[in-house]
Amino acid sequence: MFLKCRKVVWALLIGTVSAGTVTYSIPASVPTSATPLDVAPVGISFEFFTFPSYFLNVSATNQCLKNFETLTGVWPPIRIGGTTQDRATYDPSTSAYVVYSVAAPTDAPASLTFGQSFMSLASTYAGNVVLGLNRAHDNISNTIAAAKVATAKMSNLRAIELGNEPEYYLTDDQPIATESGTWTPAIDAASQDNWDILVGSALSKTNIIQAGNSNSAPPTWGAAELIATENDTVQSYVYDYAHHNYPGGTISSLMSHSDISSNLAIFNDDIAAAATTGKDYVLGETNSVSGGGASTVSPLFGAALWTLDYSVLASSLGIKRTYFHHGTIGACYYCFWGRYDMGAPYYGAYVATAFMAGAAAVVELDDGSTDYAAYVVFDGAGSPLRVLLVNSDYYSSGTRGSETFVLGGLGGAASVKSKRLTAASANSRVDQGGNPTFGGQTFANETCVIGGTETFESTAVSGGTGSFVVGASEALLVYLQ
């Protein structure tokens, strides 16, 4: 219903567009086409073999997650999985979290084992957890054994993934594909359907599988294609459908609002297909550039603006949760935090969380065709709560341009307050001294503790209308209540 009504909403909400100025009217109450929000739509994905180290050896992890919880009242959802989940074998006899050998600390293991303590550690997290297990090795008894431990130990278990990015199984010489000599979306779908039933029935649990988990752009390997193969029995075991996404590109193309809109539009049919089953659709693993990111893109402030705009637009399209992947510690350009330095993208995720926190629904005000994004969220009573404005014009040096967002429908207040997300340029990097700020505040390296004095800006409102200037490569969060 949302997708069918979206053009009507745009026609009602978009006003004049001219050089340097865009105009929108804030609805007085939530439109019927608004998209309901999850209580915590911004999540974190941890590469399987690195999960214990993130929680035991990286001091920033708990605080960075806690910062989100402070905003929303719930801990952000996490997913544990990735390429190494399909290299991992459950070993009930080991007391170690994970066992593997690598030539260098920044290498990912070609094979590994994990024990019950892995699930015990995951059980201590205060938020919901999606756990990825191995399907590629075609050892269903081993996977079921691990799943039984997970369901027994983890009261916070949201769902189990059965395999990661199966479209690569044949090229990766994974047994489940090589044993048959071929591997297609249809063969994979049959495998998934069978495993969903076998694992779900072994656990005596319905609504337990996060299905899909492919990376190739839909429709091939997508949820709609998978759902078409499922019967009612299979769907009874599915909790939600997931896809992966790494847009890539240059920093200017990555952060471009119109490019973000085009990228996310490829999921519309899958979102709609999931809705017909009554199940959620999520981005179970995503980030800027695949393979740990790119040094010229992923750690830059422009990637923070991408993270912000991408998270909110995904939510407005009906993607329930978005899990940003964190890979090998010490070799991860797109990571939000590490042992020593914060990553600029964390700021974008934090502002996205701040914008959607406590809100019941979200609407995109713009049509996705320009560099300028505008969103509004509504509270549970249906009143507008906050507005997010993003200027994704790429700024590197020289005179910084700006865009004026004229907002009507601001009510009878004499002024409204806002907080600005900014940095010296789109190319700023925290590890090179280029800290972003949100409302004048920063997150400390190593600890993720918020520092600095919180600073609000005030904008005059006359006749229910106010003008907000947002610089190139900046965003503004406007508080209406």
Side-chain angles (χ1 to χ4, degrees):
M1 179 61 71
F2 172 75
L3 294 176
K4 292 179 180 178
C5 295
R6 192 176 180 200
K7 290 183 179 178
V8 175
V9 174
W10 285 338
L12 291 173
L13 299 182
I14 295 177
T16 59
V17 179
S18 59
T21 303
V22 288
T23 302
Y24 305 100
S25 180
I26 307 303
S29 60
V30 60
T32 57
S33 57
T35 307
L37 282 169
D38 191 73
V39 65
V42 179
I44 304 295
S45 168
F46 295 100
E47 182 62 41
F48 191 92
F49 88 97
T50 67
F51 160 69
S53 284
Y54 269 106
F55 276 79
L56 299 173
N57 302 322
V58 180
S59 58
T61 298
N62 188 69
Q63 185 62 49
C64 283
L65 296 169
K66 175 65 176 175
N67 291 340
F68 288 5
E69 186 272 339
T70 300
L71 293 171
T72 64
V74 298
W75 288 79
I78 68 171
R79 172 257 188 176
I80 303 167
T83 301
T84 55
Q85 84 183 62
D86 274 321
R87 301 176 184 176
T89 300
Y90 172 59
D91 180 0
S93 68
T94 183
S95 60
Y97 299 108
V98 288
V99 179
Y100 61 86
S101 178
V102 290
T106 54
D107 288 345
S111 64
L112 65 149
T113 59
F114 64 102
Q116 293 190 32
S117 58
F118 189 97
M119 280 75 87
S120 295
L121 179 61
S123 74
T124 65
Y125 182 60
N128 288 320
V129 180
V130 173
L131 177 65
L133 296 176
N134 194 326
R135 182 161 60 95
H137 286 180
D138 203 19
N139 187 345
I140 194 164
S141 61
N142 186 262
T143 296
I144 287 174
K148 286 183 174 179
V149 174
T151 54
K153 289 182 174 292
M154 297 173 60
S155 61
N156 57 350
L157 182 67
R158 170 171 258 160
I160 292 171
E161 284 182 3
L162 297 173
N164 176 80
E165 299 178 0
E167 66 267 47
Y168 306 131
Y169 282 173
L170 192 59
T171 55
D172 289 346
D173 292 324
Q174 292 286 14
I176 200 167
T178 57
E179 287 168 2
S180 65
T182 186
W183 193 251
T184 66
I187 293 173
D188 173 65
S191 169
Q192 285 207 46
D193 295 346
N194 184 45
W195 277 58
D196 291 351
I197 292 171
L198 292 175
V199 174
S201 59
L203 300 176
S204 299
K205 282 185 175 293
T206 55
N207 299 304
I208 190 62
I209 305 298
Q210 181 158 291
N213 310 304
S214 295
N215 186 53
S216 298
T220 304
W221 298 99
E225 188 177 64
L226 176 62
I227 289 167
T229 72
E230 296 176 339
N231 59 26
D232 290 343
T233 302
V234 174
Q235 287 188 8
S236 72
Y237 291 112
V238 174
Y239 176 82
D240 59 13
Y241 295 92
H243 208 88
H244 299 178
N245 189 38
Y246 290 88
T250 64
I251 190 60
S252 60
S253 67
L254 177 76
M255 64 184 279
S256 163
H257 178 60
S258 60
D259 284 357
I260 293 170
S261 298
S262 297
N263 172 248
L264 287 176
I266 66 176
F267 299 107
N268 285 344
D269 289 346
D270 280 359
I271 296 167
T276 67
T277 71
K279 312 287 185 177
D280 289 343
Y281 186 83
V282 304
L283 291 177
E285 179 186 316
T286 189
N287 218 308
S288 54
V289 183
S290 62
S295 62
T296 57
V297 176
S298 303
L300 307 186
F301 178 65
L305 293 173
W306 168 77
T307 303
L308 168 60
D309 196 358
Y310 179 80
S311 300
V312 177
L313 181 56
S315 294
S316 75
L317 292 174
I319 296 171
K320 204 68 173 179
R321 289 169 293 279
T322 302
Y323 295 84
F324 288 90
H325 198 50
H326 287 57
T328 307
I329 299 168
C332 187
Y333 288 113
Y334 56 46
C335 284
F336 289 177
W337 65 85
R339 284 199 178 98
Y340 307 110
D341 292 307
M342 293 298 299
Y346 181 77
Y347 286 77
Y350 181 85
V351 177
T353 301
F355 171 60
M356 294 186 283
V362 60
V363 165
E364 180 190 9
L365 302 183
D366 67 278
D367 67 0
S369 65
T370 72
D371 280 346
Y372 314 113
Y375 306 91
V376 59
V377 290
F378 298 84
D379 64 19
S383 298
L385 181 61
R386 306 179 194 99
V387 175
L388 176 67
L389 308 173
V390 181
N391 181 345
S392 70
D393 284 340
Y394 172 71
Y395 170 71
S396 59
S397 61
T399 302
R400 192 170 202 157
S402 64
E403 189 76 7
T404 298
F405 292 77
V406 179
L407 300 181
L410 295 176
S415 64
V416 294
K417 64 180 184 179
S418 60
K419 289 170 69 172
R420 188 174 301 269
L421 175 64
T422 190
S425 79
N427 299 322
S428 296
R429 281 179 58 162
V430 173
D431 61 349
Q432 295 177 356
N435 277 356
T437 59
F438 175 52
Q441 294 183 301
T442 60
F443 299 95
N445 290 332
E446 296 188 46
T447 66
C448 204
V449 172
I450 300 174
T453 302
E454 186 177 32
T455 304
F456 290 91
E457 301 175 25
S458 180
T459 300
V461 176
S462 177
T465 299
S467 297
F468 303 83
V469 178
V470 184
S473 304
E474 283 190 341
L476 194 70
L477 178 51
V478 182
Y479 296 83
L480 304 180
Q481 297 183 28

